[in-house]
Amino acid sequence: MFRVCLFKPLKRTYRQYTPEALLNAYKEVTEKGISVRKAARLFGVPEVTLRMRVTGAVDTDTVKSGPSPLFSTEQEQRLIDHVEVLTRVGFVYTRIELCNLATEYAVSLGLRQEENPLSLQWLRSFISRWPNWAVKKPRTLSMARTKATSDESVKAYYEELGKVLEKHGLQDKPKNIYYVDEKGISDNHCPSRTVADNDKRPASDTGASDTAYTVTVLGAGNATGTAIPAYFVFPGARMRKDLLDGSTAGVSGTVSKNGCSNSRIFRQYLETHFLKHAQRRDSTEPLLLLYDGYRCHLSVGIIEWAKQQNIILFVLPAHTSHILQPRDTGCVEAFQTKYDDLREKFMKEKSVSMISKHATCELACKAYNHGLLPANLRSSFKNCGVYPFDPATIKKLSFASD
C-alpha cells in the first residue's frame, strides 16, 4: 500500500521591508537619479513596488496592498481638521453623518458619484489609517453642564471673532461683514387669534392643506443694512420661471426633491447668487460670512471653495443661533409675522384653503423685504455684538434656565 504524505506549503513572510525603506528608495530615484533596480537592491524593496510609485501608478503614501484609498493623505487631513474644528464648537458627527460628509467631499473633488455614497466599510478603513480616531459613545450632559458649555463656547466665539476682525482689518468695514441663513415656509396655515365667547372655540375660515409642502428661503445681509435678494428652493424636479412670478428684483431660485437646501444647493447659492450681489471691489477684498452649523452648511468642499474666493466662513457654536445669529435675533420674527399676515389675507381674498407654489414667491418676497429692512439688519448685528464689535454683549445673553 502506498502512503501519501501531504506537505503544507512554507509560509512566506509578507513584506520584509519597512515603509521608511520604500520612501528612502523612492527619494534616491527621484532626487539623485539612480536606477530603480539599483535603489530596490540597495534598500531591500521589491523592484516592481518601487517602480509603480516612481511612475505614479500608485500613490507614494500607499503602504498597504490592495486598492489605494479614495482620498490622498492631504485630503484626509483636511477632512479631519474640518471635523475637529466643528467638534470644538459643539457639532459632533455620527458614523453615518461622517460618511455623508466624506461623500459630499468626494463628489466635490470628482472622486465619487452622488448615487454611490461611502459606506461604513470605508469608515473602518479610514479610522485604521488614523490611530488617534475611534468610534465613541457621547456622554450625557446635565442641564447645568450644558449651560456651562454654552457659556464657554460663546466666550471662545467672541475671542476668535475679535481675532478674525483684527487680522483681516474688518473692524471698520461693516459692508464686508455678512450673515447667511435659511428659513423654511410651509403652506400649512396657522390662523390668527380670534375674539369669541369663552364657552365656544370658533373654527378658522381658512383651513389647512392636506398636502403640505415646504419652500426654503435663503437670505443674507451685511452690517450696513444691505440685504442680499432672496433665493428660493422649491419642491420639484425641474425649475420653472413661473415659480418666481411676482418676485422682486434680483430674486432667484432652484428646486430640490423636498424643497429643502443641501450642500450642493448651498454652494450653488454662494457661487451664483451671493457673490453676484455682495458688496466688495474685487476678490482680493475679504468677506466675513457668519453662518450656523446646519449640516448642509458644513461641507468640506464649500469651505475650501470659500478660501479660494477670499471668503471667511465663521461658524456659530452649537445651539446658539437664536442668540448669536443676526438674522435670528431681529429679522426672522418680522419676516414670519409679515408672511403669515399676507398669507391669511390672500387666502381670504381668493377664498382658497392653501397657497400654491406659484403664489408663495410673491408673498415671501414682500415679507422678506419687510423682515430684512436696513434698520432691522443694523440692529441685529449690534445686538449680537458683531458690529460694532462688543464682547461685553455676552453678559446680556441667557441660555438654559437654571
Side-chain angles (χ1 to χ4, degrees):
M1 179 175 292
F2 296 96
R3 181 176 296 175
V4 179
C5 296
L6 299 178
F7 295 94
K8 292 183 179 180
L10 296 177
K11 186 176 181 180
R12 299 177 59 184
T13 304
Y14 177 70
R15 185 179 288 145
Q16 299 178 354
Y17 62 92
T18 63
E20 290 76 13
L22 179 60
L23 179 60
N24 292 334
Y26 175 82
K27 290 181 178 180
E28 289 289 326
V29 175
T30 56
E31 297 177 3
K32 297 184 179 180
I34 69 174
S35 67
V36 173
R37 179 174 297 180
K38 183 177 180 180
R41 292 177 180 176
L42 181 62
F43 291 93
V45 299
E47 181 180 342
V48 175
T49 302
L50 178 59
R51 191 178 300 278
M52 294 286 281
R53 283 154 178 77
V54 172
T55 59
V58 177
D59 191 353
T60 55
D61 295 328
T62 303
V63 295
K64 292 184 177 181
S65 58
S68 301
L70 178 63
F71 300 109
S72 66
T73 303
E74 181 181 0
Q75 291 167 343
E76 287 191 347
Q77 185 63 59
R78 291 176 183 173
L79 183 62
I80 287 176
D81 293 341
H82 174 78
V83 174
E84 288 180 345
V85 167
L86 294 177
T87 301
R88 287 199 294 269
V89 294
F91 296 100
V92 294
Y93 286 89
T94 65
R95 293 177 296 173
I96 298 299
E97 289 171 344
L98 182 56
C99 289
N100 293 338
L101 177 69
T103 299
E104 293 174 357
Y105 187 34
V107 170
S108 68
L109 296 174
L111 302 176
R112 200 83 169 183
Q113 296 296 325
E114 192 171 356
E115 300 77 17
N116 187 23
L118 297 174
S119 64
L120 293 178
Q121 183 178 355
W122 169 86
L123 181 61
R124 287 190 289 268
S125 178
F126 172 77
I127 292 177
S128 69
R129 294 189 294 274
W130 300 91
N132 293 335
W133 276 50
V135 178
K136 299 180 180 179
K137 185 176 181 179
R139 297 173 297 171
T140 301
L141 297 181
S142 63
M143 181 62 73
R145 295 182 63 187
T146 301
K147 180 179 182 297
T149 302
S150 299
D151 289 337
E152 293 173 0
S153 298
V154 172
K155 289 179 182 178
Y157 163 80
Y158 277 104
E159 291 176 0
E160 189 63 27
L161 179 60
K163 294 178 183 178
V164 170
L165 292 173
E166 182 178 0
K167 177 181 178 181
H168 297 277
L170 298 175
Q171 302 98 319
D172 56 348
K173 295 181 179 179
K175 69 181 182 66
N176 290 37
I177 304 175
Y178 283 85
Y179 80 88
V180 63
D181 199 7
E182 62 184 50
K183 172 66 176 175
I185 53 178
S186 174
D187 70 327
N188 266 343
H189 177 60
C190 180
S192 302
R193 294 179 180 272
T194 59
V195 179
D197 191 289
N198 285 331
D199 298 329
K200 299 179 181 180
R201 186 175 181 179
S204 172
D205 55 355
T206 54
S209 171
D210 294 330
T211 57
Y213 63 84
T214 298
V215 175
T216 300
V217 183
L218 279 80
N222 65 13
T224 63
T226 303
I228 300 289
Y231 188 86
F232 290 85
V233 184
F234 296 96
R238 182 170 58 89
M239 182 63 188
R240 302 192 308 272
K241 292 183 179 180
D242 56 353
L243 291 174
L244 296 176
D245 286 349
S247 62
T248 53
V251 171
S252 185
T254 186
V255 295
S256 69
K257 183 177 180 180
N258 55 6
C260 297
S261 179
N262 53 44
S263 61
R264 177 186 59 81
I265 290 177
F266 186 63
R267 178 164 177 174
Q268 178 181 329
Y269 164 77
L270 293 177
E271 288 181 347
T272 64
H273 192 78
F274 175 79
L275 281 182
K276 178 181 177 181
H277 298 281
Q279 296 180 340
R280 66 173 175 177
R281 294 191 304 271
D282 50 48
S283 59
T284 61
E285 190 175 8
L287 291 177
L288 175 62
L289 187 60
L290 307 174
Y291 71 116
D292 67 6
Y294 189 68
R295 290 290 178 234
C296 75
H297 300 169
L298 304 181
S299 167
V300 183
I302 290 176
I303 293 177
E304 292 192 346
W305 170 84
K307 291 179 180 178
Q308 297 172 0
Q309 301 296 325
N310 203 13
I311 298 176
I312 308 153
L313 295 179
F314 202 85
V315 64
L316 303 179
H319 313 302
T320 60
S321 64
H322 62 294
I323 296 175
L324 300 180
Q325 176 67 283
R327 181 173 177 268
D328 283 359
T329 58
C331 302
V332 168
E333 185 176 356
F335 166 82
Q336 188 66 59
T337 301
K338 185 66 174 180
Y339 180 76
D340 290 342
D341 291 343
L342 291 172
R343 180 172 54 180
E344 185 168 4
K345 182 179 179 181
F346 178 89
M347 293 170 65
K348 288 182 177 180
E349 290 179 351
K350 302 295 182 180
S351 298
V352 295
S353 61
M354 63 174 291
I355 301 292
S356 69
K357 290 186 292 184
H358 300 82
T360 299
C361 183
E362 181 177 0
L363 299 180
C365 283
K366 294 179 181 179
Y368 184 89
N369 294 335
H370 175 79
L372 276 72
L373 287 171
N376 288 351
L377 285 170
R378 290 192 294 266
S379 175
S380 298
F381 278 94
K382 181 179 180 180
N383 293 338
C384 291
V386 176
Y387 184 85
F389 181 64
D390 182 16
T393 302
I394 188 175
K395 298 178 181 179
K396 308 171 187 176
L397 304 181
S398 60
F399 297 95
S401 58
D402 295 334

